[in-house]
Amino acid sequence: MGRRRAPELYRAPFPLYALQVDPSTGLLIAAGGGGAAKTGIKNGVHFLQLEQINGRLGASLLHSHDTETRATMNLALAGNILAAGQDAHCQLLRFQTHQQKGKTKAEKAGSKEQGPRQRKGAAPVEKKSGAETHQEGIELTVENLQAVQTDFSPDPLQKVVCFNHDNTLLATGGTDGYVRIWKVPSLEKVLEFRAHEGEIEDLALGPDGKLVTVGWDLKASVWQKDQLVTQLHWQENGPTFSNTPYRYQACRFGQVPDQPTRLRLFTVQIPHKRLRQPPPCYLTAWDGSTFLPLRTKPCGHEVISCLSVSESGTFLGLGTVTGSVAIYIAFSLQRLYYVREAHGIVVTDVAFLPEKGRGPELLGFHETALFSVAVDSRCQLHLLPSRRSVPVWLLLLLCVGLIVMTIVLLQTVFPGFL
């Protein structure tokens, strides 16, 4: 039997590093590029329209936004505003969609992108009969808003950006170890403090204003503004490795299903150094109020590169440096889906299809959908089929039937048993 493969949804003409999904429009936003090097590789942000075609989810290029010499390495989405990490800067982009008459989807896609995109990428949608005859379609425009430098190390790079719960602030972190908080959309700096000795790898903002940061100094810290609240200690109730230092690779808040006022924090721990026989990586779920560890489980020996939490907090998505993609159930940290080396090279970002807006329409009969992008320029689709569940009443009926059959059998073998 051949290796399990995930369907390729789209292929860009440049390496892909960041991914977002707009819940209201169902747009898939993929970004990346070749940077400032004069290699001929473009830099851009691609807006893809997702559609269900004959029961299959496909994507077509709706708009290509040229970012000139700046590759986008990380993205955050707030409504129709994108925060794009480009080198040492954060660039705000505003996109808007509207209906346009008199221009076909194929003409619009062709006018925005040439070369590799024309040959491969949107085939699932473009193969639909009559797609070229539609005279009404969606047009998208992108506007550059404010930009600001967010990292000031000798080799500056913004590594992560995220919005707060009401999209009035955004937080950035990078190689200089500083967290900086900015107003949206003016990008006026509100707060700045040193969070880690060395690079900040990831950060997450909670609805109560608490900020979680993880860095290369092996620490994960919880902040209230610039005041340290606590540090996370995942090994206190979990495995310990005296000779293997671990660092936190990613952190994300997620809702507790059916309890919208409660939160969980999820973190990924990876070995700080590469070893010939690598130890396992770990997933940890934390109480979102006390920040005490609730559950820690190994998630394989492949080094984890990125983490995503579904909108309802039900699923976790993981990508690895070797190109594999997995989906876990958040409650038990049990793996439900896995494709080994789906990309064959480091997975740079993963994102779930939102469960609101156009999400249910696009999802079809599947339980969840995860998108992944990698340096190989491909965006892949990972679908989790609906898990069949047996009703409780049926289980009770089966148990009663089993008991009755057992009694009858005993009565037959041993007359007078009852």
Side-chain angles (χ1 to χ4, degrees):
M1 177 182 263
R3 178 182 295 176
R4 181 181 187 180
R5 295 187 180 276
E8 180 178 312
L9 194 68
Y10 178 73
R11 180 170 293 190
F14 47 73
L16 292 172
Y17 295 107
L19 190 63
Q20 289 288 325
V21 187
D22 179 20
S24 60
T25 62
L27 289 175
L28 183 64
I29 306 168
K38 296 181 180 180
T39 59
I41 300 176
K42 297 181 178 181
N43 300 287
V45 180
H46 282 192
F47 295 81
L48 309 175
Q49 185 175 2
L50 296 172
E51 292 182 291
Q52 274 281 355
I53 305 298
N54 298 326
R56 296 181 61 184
L57 189 62
S60 60
L61 180 63
L62 183 63
H63 182 84
S64 174
H65 177 69
D66 186 9
T67 57
E68 299 176 351
T69 61
R70 305 178 306 277
T72 299
M73 306 299 292
N74 42 83
L75 281 176
L77 178 64
N80 67 337
I81 294 181
L82 278 171
Q86 299 172 348
D87 301 326
H89 294 76
C90 183
Q91 171 75 60
L92 290 188
L93 306 171
R94 178 187 285 129
F95 64 93
Q96 293 181 329
T97 59
H98 59 270
Q99 293 293 123
Q100 186 192 42
K101 296 183 179 180
K103 204 171 188 180
T104 68
K105 292 181 182 179
E107 288 171 342
K108 285 187 291 180
S111 66
K112 301 297 182 183
E113 188 67 34
Q114 302 295 328
R117 174 57 189 86
Q118 290 279 18
R119 294 191 297 271
K120 191 170 185 178
V125 172
E126 292 173 351
K127 286 180 180 179
K128 181 186 177 183
S129 60
E132 293 80 4
T133 63
H134 288 179
Q135 296 301 309
E136 294 187 8
I138 298 175
E139 185 179 63
L140 186 141
T141 57
V142 180
E143 175 189 4
N144 286 323
L145 300 178
Q146 300 293 328
V148 68
Q149 185 171 350
T150 60
D151 194 81
F152 297 88
S153 67
D155 188 15
L157 177 66
Q158 176 182 299
K159 299 195 70 175
V160 59
V161 59
C162 71
F163 287 93
N164 68 342
H165 71 288
D166 60 2
N167 301 331
T168 58
L169 300 171
L170 65 83
T172 61
T175 56
D176 65 2
Y178 279 82
V179 169
R180 295 176 175 91
I181 310 294
W182 313 85
K183 285 185 180 179
V184 177
S186 66
L187 290 186
E188 175 188 348
K189 186 163 61 178
V190 176
L191 186 66
E192 175 183 70
F193 64 94
R194 183 73 176 267
H196 292 275
E197 297 293 331
E199 299 182 11
I200 293 176
E201 190 63 38
D202 201 4
L203 55 82
L205 275 167
D208 58 355
K210 288 190 174 64
L211 172 70
V212 179
T213 63
V214 300
W216 277 67
D217 56 3
L218 312 186
K219 295 179 181 179
S221 304
V222 182
W223 307 86
Q224 188 75 54
K225 293 186 176 179
D226 58 350
Q227 299 299 310
L228 180 64
V229 176
T230 187
Q231 289 188 342
L232 304 183
H233 302 283
W234 72 281
Q235 288 183 323
E236 285 187 354
N237 297 316
T240 57
F241 301 94
S242 57
N243 298 323
T244 307
Y246 275 74
R247 67 176 174 87
Y248 296 85
Q249 171 67 14
C251 58
R252 290 288 185 275
F253 281 106
Q255 288 188 355
V256 178
D258 302 324
Q259 300 181 52
T261 60
R262 296 184 60 191
L263 287 179
R264 291 280 187 268
L265 175 70
F266 299 95
T267 62
V268 168
Q269 295 82 239
I270 66 173
H272 185 56
K273 296 181 179 180
R274 300 290 178 89
L275 302 175
R276 179 172 297 179
Q277 295 183 339
C281 298
Y282 287 89
L283 266 173
T284 301
W286 309 75
D287 186 283
S289 299
T290 63
F291 295 99
L292 295 175
L294 301 173
R295 186 174 289 106
T296 292
K297 285 197 173 182
C299 53
H301 292 265
E302 297 173 272
V303 178
I304 305 300
S305 57
C306 52
L307 165 70
S308 180
V309 183
S310 67
E311 190 174 33
S312 65
T314 305
F315 302 105
L316 307 177
L318 296 180
T320 75
V321 298
T322 49
S324 302
V325 177
I327 299 175
Y328 285 73
I329 188 78
F331 172 75
S332 62
L333 304 183
Q334 176 188 358
R335 193 171 74 184
L336 303 176
Y337 172 98
Y338 174 74
V339 178
R340 181 176 177 83
E341 296 179 2
H343 288 272
I345 197 170
V346 57
V347 178
T348 48
D349 205 0
V350 290
F352 282 98
L353 182 69
E355 294 149 352
K356 298 177 182 176
R358 291 196 64 213
E361 167 197 342
L362 296 170
L363 194 57
F365 296 103
H366 295 90
E367 192 161 0
T368 192
L370 181 71
F371 304 99
S372 63
V373 292
V375 182
D376 62 3
S377 307
R378 294 185 297 160
C379 177
Q380 291 189 341
L381 172 65
H382 308 271
L383 292 169
L384 181 66
S386 295
R387 291 167 292 167
R388 295 180 179 178
S389 58
V390 180
V392 175
W393 64 267
L394 183 57
L395 288 176
L396 293 175
L397 186 61
L398 290 173
C399 290
V400 171
L402 184 61
I403 292 172
V404 171
M405 289 180 61
T406 303
I407 292 174
V408 171
L409 181 62
L410 289 174
Q411 181 67 22
T412 302
V413 176
F414 304 103
F417 175 76
L418 293 178

